[in-house]
Amino acid sequence: MATIAFIGLGNMGGPMAANLVKAGHKVVAFDLVEASRNQAKADGASIAETAARAVMGAEIVVTMLPAGKHVLSVWSDIVPAMTKGALIIDSSTIDVESARQAHALAAKNGVLSVDAPVSGGTGGAKGATLTFMCGGDEKAFAAAKPVLENMGKKIVHCGGAGAGQAAKICNNMILGISMIAVSEAFALVEKLGLSHQALFDVASTSSGQCWSLTTYCPVPGPVPTSPANNDYKPGFAASLMLKDLLLAKAAARSVHASVPLGVRAASIYKSYDDAGNGGKGFSGIVEFLRHSTIEED
Ligand code: NAD
């Protein structure tokens, strides 16, 4: 069992750190927020006074922070304090460029590094069923995998530095676009006089089948466990979907890739967020599409 420092104990990081304790590791944790530190203590972690103190002597460090600027700032502080040859894993969802800068900082300080963003949301974080998408060299990935297995059930090595972040934002670009597509279809069948169930019965076994339809169905009824049946309580918040779509748009721009539907999806989620819906589950976009007058060609 290892000594693991965990920085960033929010909605995701808190339960992930608790799962490392449950797996038998010695976890030294830090967050800026007192309530999060107290919860981690109650979950069995010991609490450090600062992030840099938390990582001293740790064999492995995990960060779970809001965005690229937080990761670069925290890593600049903690990586020089780490033991040479130790491993640092960032599981935040951040831009590919910041992820690559973070890897370079680790390499400069003789520390192994992996970017390992997740999918599976807070339920996956609590249940240790997350999917980790990893970027980094073979040696770093081999060191990270057993620890990630304590927090998730699927660990995929996607390639070198930043590859995990690239996979994550491409996956979520597919998700954002497909949720809008499914929502548009439900809004259309309502006006054409069909029931939601009729569209679901056809599309869920036809070529329109996708996760946004069959697992996260944006209208109540056909999939009883989807957030639509619970007033669109997240689940995965619309503000986080907007964040990921904007990361995908920025990544596409940086390599001159054409992603017209990804850009359109970002602008639709931006309008939804601007209207005060950022805290709702992202499948609530169906209500917005039903009532909005988004421009058409
Ligand atoms: P959160 O805001 O609940 O947690 C972030 C934590 O980081 C907070 O507790 C905050 O106090 C802490 N923090 C910020 N700056 C810090 C610093 N300098 N030092 C120490 N702690 C600091 O966010 P979350 O929902 O846990 O998400 C974390 C990351 O995971 C984000 O990048 C998010 O995009 C990604 N993610 C979230 C979900 C989800 O469903 N919530 C799903 C997949 C991925």
Side-chain angles (χ1 to χ4, degrees), residues 7-14 30-33 36 51 64-67 70 73-74 91-94 117-122 168 172 235-237 240 243-244:
I7 318 294
L9 306 164
N11 293 319
M12 298 292 289
F30 180 74
D31 192 289
L32 294 176
V33 175
S36 303
M64 191 53 165
L65 298 163
H70 306 96
S73 154
V74 169
S91 282
S92 328
T93 303
I94 68 172
V118 302
S119 87
T122 51
K168 164 80 185 173
N172 279 22
F236 187 55
L240 287 175
K243 172 191 169 184
D244 292 354

PDB file of all heavy atoms in Angstrom, residues 7-14 30-33 36 51 64-67 70 73-74 91-94 117-122 168 172 235-237 240 243-244, ligand 1:
ATOM      1  N   ILE A   7      -4.984  16.278  -3.666  1.00  0.00           N
ATOM      2  CA  ILE A   7      -5.246  17.725  -3.629  1.00  0.00           C
ATOM      3  C   ILE A   7      -6.495  18.027  -4.455  1.00  0.00           C
ATOM      4  O   ILE A   7      -6.531  17.739  -5.664  1.00  0.00           O
ATOM      5  CB  ILE A   7      -4.063  18.528  -4.234  1.00  0.00           C
ATOM      6  CG1 ILE A   7      -2.699  17.979  -3.806  1.00  0.00           C
ATOM      7  CG2 ILE A   7      -4.212  20.020  -3.922  1.00  0.00           C
ATOM      8  CD1 ILE A   7      -2.377  18.094  -2.355  1.00  0.00           C
ATOM      9  N   GLY A   8      -7.509  18.640  -3.800  1.00  0.00           N
ATOM     10  CA  GLY A   8      -8.761  18.954  -4.504  1.00  0.00           C
ATOM     11  C   GLY A   8      -9.820  17.954  -4.104  1.00  0.00           C
ATOM     12  O   GLY A   8      -9.975  16.902  -4.721  1.00  0.00           O
ATOM     13  N   LEU A   9     -10.573  18.285  -3.033  1.00  0.00           N
ATOM     14  CA  LEU A   9     -11.496  17.317  -2.420  1.00  0.00           C
ATOM     15  C   LEU A   9     -12.944  17.753  -2.637  1.00  0.00           C
ATOM     16  O   LEU A   9     -13.744  17.768  -1.700  1.00  0.00           O
ATOM     17  CB  LEU A   9     -11.192  17.209  -0.919  1.00  0.00           C
ATOM     18  CG  LEU A   9      -9.732  16.886  -0.565  1.00  0.00           C
ATOM     19  CD1 LEU A   9      -9.442  17.195   0.901  1.00  0.00           C
ATOM     20  CD2 LEU A   9      -9.421  15.426  -0.878  1.00  0.00           C
ATOM     21  N   GLY A  10     -13.278  18.137  -3.863  1.00  0.00           N
ATOM     22  CA  GLY A  10     -14.629  18.615  -4.166  1.00  0.00           C
ATOM     23  C   GLY A  10     -15.592  17.466  -4.417  1.00  0.00           C
ATOM     24  O   GLY A  10     -15.441  16.367  -3.874  1.00  0.00           O
ATOM     25  N   ASN A  11     -16.591  17.718  -5.280  1.00  0.00           N
ATOM     26  CA  ASN A  11     -17.630  16.709  -5.555  1.00  0.00           C
ATOM     27  C   ASN A  11     -17.039  15.401  -6.059  1.00  0.00           C
ATOM     28  O   ASN A  11     -17.539  14.320  -5.747  1.00  0.00           O
ATOM     29  CB  ASN A  11     -18.604  17.242  -6.618  1.00  0.00           C
ATOM     30  CG  ASN A  11     -19.404  18.408  -6.086  1.00  0.00           C
ATOM     31  OD1 ASN A  11     -19.842  18.391  -4.947  1.00  0.00           O
ATOM     32  ND2 ASN A  11     -19.579  19.440  -6.906  1.00  0.00           N
ATOM     33  N   MET A  12     -15.980  15.493  -6.840  1.00  0.00           N
ATOM     34  CA  MET A  12     -15.331  14.289  -7.384  1.00  0.00           C
ATOM     35  C   MET A  12     -14.174  13.829  -6.494  1.00  0.00           C
ATOM     36  O   MET A  12     -14.064  12.654  -6.154  1.00  0.00           O
ATOM     37  CB  MET A  12     -14.804  14.579  -8.798  1.00  0.00           C
ATOM     38  CG  MET A  12     -15.865  14.934  -9.816  1.00  0.00           C
ATOM     39  SD  MET A  12     -16.952  13.547 -10.207  1.00  0.00           S
ATOM     40  CE  MET A  12     -15.854  12.491 -11.141  1.00  0.00           C
ATOM     41  N   GLY A  13     -13.274  14.773  -6.174  1.00  0.00           N
ATOM     42  CA  GLY A  13     -12.054  14.412  -5.449  1.00  0.00           C
ATOM     43  C   GLY A  13     -12.330  13.845  -4.063  1.00  0.00           C
ATOM     44  O   GLY A  13     -11.633  12.919  -3.619  1.00  0.00           O
ATOM     45  N   GLY A  14     -13.350  14.375  -3.374  1.00  0.00           N
ATOM     46  CA  GLY A  14     -13.666  13.893  -2.021  1.00  0.00           C
ATOM     47  C   GLY A  14     -13.923  12.386  -2.002  1.00  0.00           C
ATOM     48  O   GLY A  14     -13.212  11.625  -1.326  1.00  0.00           O
ATOM     49  N   PHE A  30      -5.471  17.608   0.956  1.00  0.00           N
ATOM     50  CA  PHE A  30      -5.556  19.063   1.127  1.00  0.00           C
ATOM     51  C   PHE A  30      -6.580  19.648   0.160  1.00  0.00           C
ATOM     52  O   PHE A  30      -6.685  19.229  -0.996  1.00  0.00           O
ATOM     53  CB  PHE A  30      -4.199  19.746   0.886  1.00  0.00           C
ATOM     54  CG  PHE A  30      -4.289  21.237   1.053  1.00  0.00           C
ATOM     55  CD1 PHE A  30      -4.404  21.807   2.315  1.00  0.00           C
ATOM     56  CD2 PHE A  30      -4.336  22.080  -0.052  1.00  0.00           C
ATOM     57  CE1 PHE A  30      -4.552  23.187   2.475  1.00  0.00           C
ATOM     58  CE2 PHE A  30      -4.479  23.456   0.096  1.00  0.00           C
ATOM     59  CZ  PHE A  30      -4.580  24.006   1.363  1.00  0.00           C
ATOM     60  N   ASP A  31      -7.341  20.639   0.658  1.00  0.00           N
ATOM     61  CA  ASP A  31      -8.246  21.441  -0.176  1.00  0.00           C
ATOM     62  C   ASP A  31      -8.274  22.833   0.451  1.00  0.00           C
ATOM     63  O   ASP A  31      -8.022  22.991   1.651  1.00  0.00           O
ATOM     64  CB  ASP A  31      -9.657  20.836  -0.177  1.00  0.00           C
ATOM     65  CG  ASP A  31     -10.555  21.446  -1.252  1.00  0.00           C
ATOM     66  OD1 ASP A  31     -10.963  22.629  -1.115  1.00  0.00           O
ATOM     67  OD2 ASP A  31     -10.850  20.753  -2.245  1.00  0.00           O
ATOM     68  N   LEU A  32      -8.609  23.838  -0.351  1.00  0.00           N
ATOM     69  CA  LEU A  32      -8.704  25.194   0.190  1.00  0.00           C
ATOM     70  C   LEU A  32      -9.908  25.337   1.127  1.00  0.00           C
ATOM     71  O   LEU A  32      -9.915  26.187   2.012  1.00  0.00           O
ATOM     72  CB  LEU A  32      -8.852  26.206  -0.961  1.00  0.00           C
ATOM     73  CG  LEU A  32      -7.654  26.363  -1.909  1.00  0.00           C
ATOM     74  CD1 LEU A  32      -8.009  27.333  -3.034  1.00  0.00           C
ATOM     75  CD2 LEU A  32      -6.414  26.829  -1.155  1.00  0.00           C
ATOM     76  N   VAL A  33     -10.935  24.502   0.902  1.00  0.00           N
ATOM     77  CA  VAL A  33     -12.200  24.651   1.637  1.00  0.00           C
ATOM     78  C   VAL A  33     -12.207  23.778   2.899  1.00  0.00           C
ATOM     79  O   VAL A  33     -11.970  22.558   2.827  1.00  0.00           O
ATOM     80  CB  VAL A  33     -13.388  24.269   0.712  1.00  0.00           C
ATOM     81  CG1 VAL A  33     -14.710  24.285   1.463  1.00  0.00           C
ATOM     82  CG2 VAL A  33     -13.435  25.210  -0.489  1.00  0.00           C
ATOM     83  N   SER A  36     -14.488  20.625   3.095  1.00  0.00           N
ATOM     84  CA  SER A  36     -13.986  19.477   2.316  1.00  0.00           C
ATOM     85  C   SER A  36     -12.867  18.772   3.079  1.00  0.00           C
ATOM     86  O   SER A  36     -12.767  17.540   3.051  1.00  0.00           O
ATOM     87  CB  SER A  36     -13.457  19.937   0.954  1.00  0.00           C
ATOM     88  OG  SER A  36     -14.470  20.613   0.255  1.00  0.00           O
ATOM     89  N   ALA A  51      -0.779  22.323   0.397  1.00  0.00           N
ATOM     90  CA  ALA A  51      -0.627  21.303  -0.656  1.00  0.00           C
ATOM     91  C   ALA A  51       0.821  20.816  -0.710  1.00  0.00           C
ATOM     92  O   ALA A  51       1.080  19.611  -0.849  1.00  0.00           O
ATOM     93  CB  ALA A  51      -1.049  21.894  -1.999  1.00  0.00           C
ATOM     94  N   MET A  64      -7.292  16.913  -8.329  1.00  0.00           N
ATOM     95  CA  MET A  64      -8.642  16.915  -8.922  1.00  0.00           C
ATOM     96  C   MET A  64      -9.208  18.320  -8.747  1.00  0.00           C
ATOM     97  O   MET A  64      -9.879  18.626  -7.745  1.00  0.00           O
ATOM     98  CB  MET A  64      -9.496  15.852  -8.216  1.00  0.00           C
ATOM     99  CG  MET A  64     -10.816  15.573  -8.915  1.00  0.00           C
ATOM    100  SD  MET A  64     -10.576  15.183 -10.653  1.00  0.00           S
ATOM    101  CE  MET A  64     -12.126  14.470 -11.110  1.00  0.00           C
ATOM    102  N   LEU A  65      -8.920  19.193  -9.718  1.00  0.00           N
ATOM    103  CA  LEU A  65      -9.133  20.634  -9.581  1.00  0.00           C
ATOM    104  C   LEU A  65     -10.038  21.151 -10.697  1.00  0.00           C
ATOM    105  O   LEU A  65     -10.271  20.466 -11.688  1.00  0.00           O
ATOM    106  CB  LEU A  65      -7.768  21.328  -9.623  1.00  0.00           C
ATOM    107  CG  LEU A  65      -6.827  20.908  -8.467  1.00  0.00           C
ATOM    108  CD1 LEU A  65      -5.378  21.270  -8.776  1.00  0.00           C
ATOM    109  CD2 LEU A  65      -7.283  21.545  -7.160  1.00  0.00           C
ATOM    110  N   PRO A  66     -10.528  22.404 -10.563  1.00  0.00           N
ATOM    111  CA  PRO A  66     -11.522  22.875 -11.535  1.00  0.00           C
ATOM    112  C   PRO A  66     -11.020  22.997 -12.984  1.00  0.00           C
ATOM    113  O   PRO A  66     -11.688  22.532 -13.903  1.00  0.00           O
ATOM    114  CB  PRO A  66     -11.934  24.250 -10.984  1.00  0.00           C
ATOM    115  CG  PRO A  66     -11.642  24.182  -9.521  1.00  0.00           C
ATOM    116  CD  PRO A  66     -10.424  23.309  -9.398  1.00  0.00           C
ATOM    117  N   ALA A  67      -9.872  23.659 -13.213  1.00  0.00           N
ATOM    118  CA  ALA A  67      -9.484  23.966 -14.600  1.00  0.00           C
ATOM    119  C   ALA A  67      -7.961  24.051 -14.736  1.00  0.00           C
ATOM    120  O   ALA A  67      -7.226  23.960 -13.743  1.00  0.00           O
ATOM    121  CB  ALA A  67     -10.125  25.283 -15.026  1.00  0.00           C
ATOM    122  N   HIS A  70      -5.777  26.253 -12.444  1.00  0.00           N
ATOM    123  CA  HIS A  70      -5.608  25.748 -11.072  1.00  0.00           C
ATOM    124  C   HIS A  70      -4.554  24.638 -11.046  1.00  0.00           C
ATOM    125  O   HIS A  70      -3.731  24.575 -10.149  1.00  0.00           O
ATOM    126  CB  HIS A  70      -6.929  25.201 -10.523  1.00  0.00           C
ATOM    127  CG  HIS A  70      -8.066  26.168 -10.608  1.00  0.00           C
ATOM    128  ND1 HIS A  70      -8.969  26.163 -11.644  1.00  0.00           N
ATOM    129  CD2 HIS A  70      -8.411  27.203  -9.801  1.00  0.00           C
ATOM    130  CE1 HIS A  70      -9.845  27.136 -11.463  1.00  0.00           C
ATOM    131  NE2 HIS A  70      -9.531  27.783 -10.362  1.00  0.00           N
ATOM    132  N   SER A  73      -1.064  26.115 -11.472  1.00  0.00           N
ATOM    133  CA  SER A  73      -0.660  26.839 -10.269  1.00  0.00           C
ATOM    134  C   SER A  73      -0.306  25.857  -9.136  1.00  0.00           C
ATOM    135  O   SER A  73       0.739  25.973  -8.495  1.00  0.00           O
ATOM    136  CB  SER A  73      -1.793  27.799  -9.877  1.00  0.00           C
ATOM    137  OG  SER A  73      -1.761  28.069  -8.524  1.00  0.00           O
ATOM    138  N   VAL A  74      -1.168  24.854  -8.911  1.00  0.00           N
ATOM    139  CA  VAL A  74      -0.906  23.886  -7.826  1.00  0.00           C
ATOM    140  C   VAL A  74       0.336  23.049  -8.152  1.00  0.00           C
ATOM    141  O   VAL A  74       1.195  22.845  -7.290  1.00  0.00           O
ATOM    142  CB  VAL A  74      -2.155  22.994  -7.583  1.00  0.00           C
ATOM    143  CG1 VAL A  74      -1.827  21.825  -6.666  1.00  0.00           C
ATOM    144  CG2 VAL A  74      -3.290  23.818  -6.991  1.00  0.00           C
ATOM    145  N   SER A  91      -6.392  14.277 -12.516  1.00  0.00           N
ATOM    146  CA  SER A  91      -7.655  13.736 -13.015  1.00  0.00           C
ATOM    147  C   SER A  91      -8.675  14.824 -13.350  1.00  0.00           C
ATOM    148  O   SER A  91      -9.805  14.516 -13.725  1.00  0.00           O
ATOM    149  CB  SER A  91      -8.245  12.749 -12.001  1.00  0.00           C
ATOM    150  OG  SER A  91      -7.559  11.530 -12.099  1.00  0.00           O
ATOM    151  N   SER A  92      -8.295  16.094 -13.216  1.00  0.00           N
ATOM    152  CA  SER A  92      -9.184  17.197 -13.596  1.00  0.00           C
ATOM    153  C   SER A  92      -9.423  17.148 -15.112  1.00  0.00           C
ATOM    154  O   SER A  92      -8.627  16.581 -15.847  1.00  0.00           O
ATOM    155  CB  SER A  92      -8.528  18.544 -13.270  1.00  0.00           C
ATOM    156  OG  SER A  92      -7.701  18.472 -12.136  1.00  0.00           O
ATOM    157  N   THR A  93     -10.525  17.767 -15.566  1.00  0.00           N
ATOM    158  CA  THR A  93     -10.710  17.955 -17.008  1.00  0.00           C
ATOM    159  C   THR A  93     -10.143  19.323 -17.354  1.00  0.00           C
ATOM    160  O   THR A  93     -10.663  20.347 -16.880  1.00  0.00           O
ATOM    161  CB  THR A  93     -12.202  17.919 -17.391  1.00  0.00           C
ATOM    162  OG1 THR A  93     -12.761  16.686 -16.955  1.00  0.00           O
ATOM    163  CG2 THR A  93     -12.381  18.057 -18.893  1.00  0.00           C
ATOM    164  N   ILE A  94      -9.070  19.354 -18.151  1.00  0.00           N
ATOM    165  CA  ILE A  94      -8.431  20.637 -18.480  1.00  0.00           C
ATOM    166  C   ILE A  94      -8.046  20.666 -19.961  1.00  0.00           C
ATOM    167  O   ILE A  94      -8.144  19.646 -20.655  1.00  0.00           O
ATOM    168  CB  ILE A  94      -7.189  20.913 -17.595  1.00  0.00           C
ATOM    169  CG1 ILE A  94      -6.051  19.934 -17.902  1.00  0.00           C
ATOM    170  CG2 ILE A  94      -7.554  20.838 -16.111  1.00  0.00           C
ATOM    171  CD1 ILE A  94      -4.736  20.282 -17.200  1.00  0.00           C
ATOM    172  N   PRO A 117      -8.086  12.255 -16.920  1.00  0.00           N
ATOM    173  CA  PRO A 117      -9.450  12.739 -16.674  1.00  0.00           C
ATOM    174  C   PRO A 117     -10.431  11.565 -16.638  1.00  0.00           C
ATOM    175  O   PRO A 117     -10.090  10.463 -17.087  1.00  0.00           O
ATOM    176  CB  PRO A 117      -9.711  13.660 -17.868  1.00  0.00           C
ATOM    177  CG  PRO A 117      -8.799  13.176 -18.933  1.00  0.00           C
ATOM    178  CD  PRO A 117      -7.581  12.649 -18.234  1.00  0.00           C
ATOM    179  N   VAL A 118     -11.603  11.831 -16.107  1.00  0.00           N
ATOM    180  CA  VAL A 118     -12.549  10.739 -15.858  1.00  0.00           C
ATOM    181  C   VAL A 118     -13.880  10.972 -16.546  1.00  0.00           C
ATOM    182  O   VAL A 118     -14.257  12.106 -16.833  1.00  0.00           O
ATOM    183  CB  VAL A 118     -12.822  10.592 -14.340  1.00  0.00           C
ATOM    184  CG1 VAL A 118     -11.532  10.328 -13.593  1.00  0.00           C
ATOM    185  CG2 VAL A 118     -13.519  11.827 -13.761  1.00  0.00           C
ATOM    186  N   SER A 119     -14.607   9.893 -16.772  1.00  0.00           N
ATOM    187  CA  SER A 119     -16.042  10.012 -17.021  1.00  0.00           C
ATOM    188  C   SER A 119     -16.748   9.088 -16.040  1.00  0.00           C
ATOM    189  O   SER A 119     -16.146   8.158 -15.506  1.00  0.00           O
ATOM    190  CB  SER A 119     -16.388   9.732 -18.482  1.00  0.00           C
ATOM    191  OG  SER A 119     -16.593   8.391 -18.679  1.00  0.00           O
ATOM    192  N   GLY A 120     -17.998   9.397 -15.760  1.00  0.00           N
ATOM    193  CA  GLY A 120     -18.746   8.599 -14.783  1.00  0.00           C
ATOM    194  C   GLY A 120     -19.378   9.452 -13.700  1.00  0.00           C
ATOM    195  O   GLY A 120     -20.226   8.979 -12.946  1.00  0.00           O
ATOM    196  N   GLY A 121     -18.952  10.730 -13.608  1.00  0.00           N
ATOM    197  CA  GLY A 121     -19.625  11.676 -12.714  1.00  0.00           C
ATOM    198  C   GLY A 121     -19.481  11.338 -11.234  1.00  0.00           C
ATOM    199  O   GLY A 121     -18.669  10.484 -10.840  1.00  0.00           O
ATOM    200  N   THR A 122     -20.281  12.024 -10.416  1.00  0.00           N
ATOM    201  CA  THR A 122     -20.146  11.872  -8.964  1.00  0.00           C
ATOM    202  C   THR A 122     -20.573  10.459  -8.518  1.00  0.00           C
ATOM    203  O   THR A 122     -20.017   9.930  -7.559  1.00  0.00           O
ATOM    204  CB  THR A 122     -20.987  12.925  -8.219  1.00  0.00           C
ATOM    205  OG1 THR A 122     -22.311  12.894  -8.750  1.00  0.00           O
ATOM    206  CG2 THR A 122     -20.431  14.327  -8.414  1.00  0.00           C
ATOM    207  N   LYS A 168     -10.944  12.702 -23.635  1.00  0.00           N
ATOM    208  CA  LYS A 168     -12.080  13.144 -22.804  1.00  0.00           C
ATOM    209  C   LYS A 168     -12.920  14.204 -23.536  1.00  0.00           C
ATOM    210  O   LYS A 168     -14.150  14.108 -23.597  1.00  0.00           O
ATOM    211  CB  LYS A 168     -11.532  13.697 -21.482  1.00  0.00           C
ATOM    212  CG  LYS A 168     -12.479  14.524 -20.660  1.00  0.00           C
ATOM    213  CD  LYS A 168     -13.441  13.702 -19.863  1.00  0.00           C
ATOM    214  CE  LYS A 168     -14.441  14.590 -19.147  1.00  0.00           C
ATOM    215  NZ  LYS A 168     -15.486  13.862 -18.481  1.00  0.00           N
ATOM    216  N   ASN A 172     -16.756  13.942 -24.947  1.00  0.00           N
ATOM    217  CA  ASN A 172     -17.843  14.811 -24.480  1.00  0.00           C
ATOM    218  C   ASN A 172     -18.393  15.703 -25.584  1.00  0.00           C
ATOM    219  O   ASN A 172     -19.542  16.135 -25.510  1.00  0.00           O
ATOM    220  CB  ASN A 172     -17.381  15.605 -23.261  1.00  0.00           C
ATOM    221  CG  ASN A 172     -17.485  14.737 -22.011  1.00  0.00           C
ATOM    222  OD1 ASN A 172     -17.502  13.515 -22.118  1.00  0.00           O
ATOM    223  ND2 ASN A 172     -17.565  15.351 -20.846  1.00  0.00           N
ATOM    224  N   GLY A 235     -26.678  14.292 -11.657  1.00  0.00           N
ATOM    225  CA  GLY A 235     -26.071  14.062 -12.941  1.00  0.00           C
ATOM    226  C   GLY A 235     -24.936  15.002 -13.330  1.00  0.00           C
ATOM    227  O   GLY A 235     -24.185  15.481 -12.489  1.00  0.00           O
ATOM    228  N   PHE A 236     -24.808  15.143 -14.576  1.00  0.00           N
ATOM    229  CA  PHE A 236     -23.745  15.923 -15.186  1.00  0.00           C
ATOM    230  C   PHE A 236     -24.340  17.295 -15.530  1.00  0.00           C
ATOM    231  O   PHE A 236     -25.241  17.414 -16.361  1.00  0.00           O
ATOM    232  CB  PHE A 236     -23.226  15.189 -16.426  1.00  0.00           C
ATOM    233  CG  PHE A 236     -22.008  15.822 -17.039  1.00  0.00           C
ATOM    234  CD1 PHE A 236     -20.866  16.049 -16.292  1.00  0.00           C
ATOM    235  CD2 PHE A 236     -22.002  16.193 -18.373  1.00  0.00           C
ATOM    236  CE1 PHE A 236     -19.731  16.632 -16.849  1.00  0.00           C
ATOM    237  CE2 PHE A 236     -20.884  16.759 -18.951  1.00  0.00           C
ATOM    238  CZ  PHE A 236     -19.752  16.984 -18.188  1.00  0.00           C
ATOM    239  N   ALA A 237     -23.805  18.336 -14.855  1.00  0.00           N
ATOM    240  CA  ALA A 237     -24.402  19.664 -14.972  1.00  0.00           C
ATOM    241  C   ALA A 237     -24.145  20.283 -16.353  1.00  0.00           C
ATOM    242  O   ALA A 237     -23.102  20.064 -16.962  1.00  0.00           O
ATOM    243  CB  ALA A 237     -23.844  20.574 -13.881  1.00  0.00           C
ATOM    244  N   LEU A 240     -20.877  22.084 -16.794  1.00  0.00           N
ATOM    245  CA  LEU A 240     -19.696  21.251 -17.078  1.00  0.00           C
ATOM    246  C   LEU A 240     -19.685  20.809 -18.536  1.00  0.00           C
ATOM    247  O   LEU A 240     -18.619  20.711 -19.152  1.00  0.00           O
ATOM    248  CB  LEU A 240     -19.664  20.036 -16.145  1.00  0.00           C
ATOM    249  CG  LEU A 240     -19.285  20.332 -14.684  1.00  0.00           C
ATOM    250  CD1 LEU A 240     -19.405  19.077 -13.829  1.00  0.00           C
ATOM    251  CD2 LEU A 240     -17.876  20.904 -14.577  1.00  0.00           C
ATOM    252  N   LYS A 243     -18.345  23.723 -20.364  1.00  0.00           N
ATOM    253  CA  LYS A 243     -16.885  23.783 -20.170  1.00  0.00           C
ATOM    254  C   LYS A 243     -16.177  22.821 -21.142  1.00  0.00           C
ATOM    255  O   LYS A 243     -15.222  23.206 -21.822  1.00  0.00           O
ATOM    256  CB  LYS A 243     -16.563  23.391 -18.714  1.00  0.00           C
ATOM    257  CG  LYS A 243     -15.078  23.235 -18.438  1.00  0.00           C
ATOM    258  CD  LYS A 243     -14.790  22.592 -17.082  1.00  0.00           C
ATOM    259  CE  LYS A 243     -13.316  22.210 -16.970  1.00  0.00           C
ATOM    260  NZ  LYS A 243     -12.971  21.505 -15.753  1.00  0.00           N
ATOM    261  N   ASP A 244     -16.669  21.583 -21.221  1.00  0.00           N
ATOM    262  CA  ASP A 244     -15.990  20.580 -22.049  1.00  0.00           C
ATOM    263  C   ASP A 244     -16.120  20.909 -23.539  1.00  0.00           C
ATOM    264  O   ASP A 244     -15.175  20.702 -24.317  1.00  0.00           O
ATOM    265  CB  ASP A 244     -16.547  19.188 -21.751  1.00  0.00           C
ATOM    266  CG  ASP A 244     -16.174  18.727 -20.337  1.00  0.00           C
ATOM    267  OD1 ASP A 244     -15.408  19.440 -19.652  1.00  0.00           O
ATOM    268  OD2 ASP A 244     -16.657  17.662 -19.916  1.00  0.00           O
TER     269      ASP A 244
HETATM  270  P1  NAD B   1     -15.416  20.949  -7.454  1.00  0.00           P
HETATM  271  O1  NAD B   1     -15.483  22.395  -7.747  1.00  0.00           O
HETATM  272  O2  NAD B   1     -16.499  20.294  -6.629  1.00  0.00           O
HETATM  273  O3  NAD B   1     -14.011  20.580  -6.739  1.00  0.00           O
HETATM  274  C1  NAD B   1     -12.805  21.229  -7.027  1.00  0.00           C
HETATM  275  C2  NAD B   1     -12.062  21.368  -5.692  1.00  0.00           C
HETATM  276  O4  NAD B   1     -10.764  21.935  -5.929  1.00  0.00           O
HETATM  277  C3  NAD B   1     -12.771  22.315  -4.708  1.00  0.00           C
HETATM  278  O5  NAD B   1     -13.024  21.615  -3.494  1.00  0.00           O
HETATM  279  C4  NAD B   1     -11.786  23.459  -4.519  1.00  0.00           C
HETATM  280  O6  NAD B   1     -11.796  24.017  -3.217  1.00  0.00           O
HETATM  281  C5  NAD B   1     -10.475  22.764  -4.816  1.00  0.00           C
HETATM  282  N1  NAD B   1      -9.394  23.688  -5.167  1.00  0.00           N
HETATM  283  C6  NAD B   1      -9.400  24.688  -6.076  1.00  0.00           C
HETATM  284  N2  NAD B   1      -8.194  25.310  -6.097  1.00  0.00           N
HETATM  285  C7  NAD B   1      -7.423  24.676  -5.176  1.00  0.00           C
HETATM  286  C8  NAD B   1      -6.103  24.847  -4.725  1.00  0.00           C
HETATM  287  N3  NAD B   1      -5.312  25.817  -5.206  1.00  0.00           N
HETATM  288  N4  NAD B   1      -5.619  24.017  -3.761  1.00  0.00           N
HETATM  289  C9  NAD B   1      -6.410  23.038  -3.242  1.00  0.00           C
HETATM  290  N5  NAD B   1      -7.686  22.828  -3.630  1.00  0.00           N
HETATM  291  C10 NAD B   1      -8.184  23.634  -4.583  1.00  0.00           C
HETATM  292  O7  NAD B   1     -15.314  20.222  -8.889  1.00  0.00           O
HETATM  293  P2  NAD B   1     -15.606  18.672  -9.220  1.00  0.00           P
HETATM  294  O8  NAD B   1     -17.016  18.504  -9.637  1.00  0.00           O
HETATM  295  O9  NAD B   1     -15.036  17.832  -8.136  1.00  0.00           O
HETATM  296  O10 NAD B   1     -14.733  18.513 -10.555  1.00  0.00           O
HETATM  297  C11 NAD B   1     -13.325  18.414 -10.513  1.00  0.00           C
HETATM  298  C12 NAD B   1     -12.830  18.194 -11.934  1.00  0.00           C
HETATM  299  O11 NAD B   1     -13.407  16.994 -12.460  1.00  0.00           O
HETATM  300  C13 NAD B   1     -13.180  19.326 -12.906  1.00  0.00           C
HETATM  301  O12 NAD B   1     -12.096  19.542 -13.756  1.00  0.00           O
HETATM  302  C14 NAD B   1     -14.399  18.770 -13.653  1.00  0.00           C
HETATM  303  O13 NAD B   1     -14.526  19.318 -14.951  1.00  0.00           O
HETATM  304  C15 NAD B   1     -14.071  17.296 -13.695  1.00  0.00           C
HETATM  305  N6  NAD B   1     -15.240  16.405 -13.794  1.00  0.00           N
HETATM  306  C16 NAD B   1     -16.336  16.614 -13.014  1.00  0.00           C
HETATM  307  C17 NAD B   1     -17.434  15.748 -13.145  1.00  0.00           C
HETATM  308  C18 NAD B   1     -18.674  15.944 -12.282  1.00  0.00           C
HETATM  309  O14 NAD B   1     -19.690  15.306 -12.564  1.00  0.00           O
HETATM  310  N7  NAD B   1     -18.630  16.784 -11.248  1.00  0.00           N
HETATM  311  C19 NAD B   1     -17.396  14.691 -14.053  1.00  0.00           C
HETATM  312  C20 NAD B   1     -16.239  14.485 -14.812  1.00  0.00           C
HETATM  313  C21 NAD B   1     -15.160  15.351 -14.672  1.00  0.00           C
END
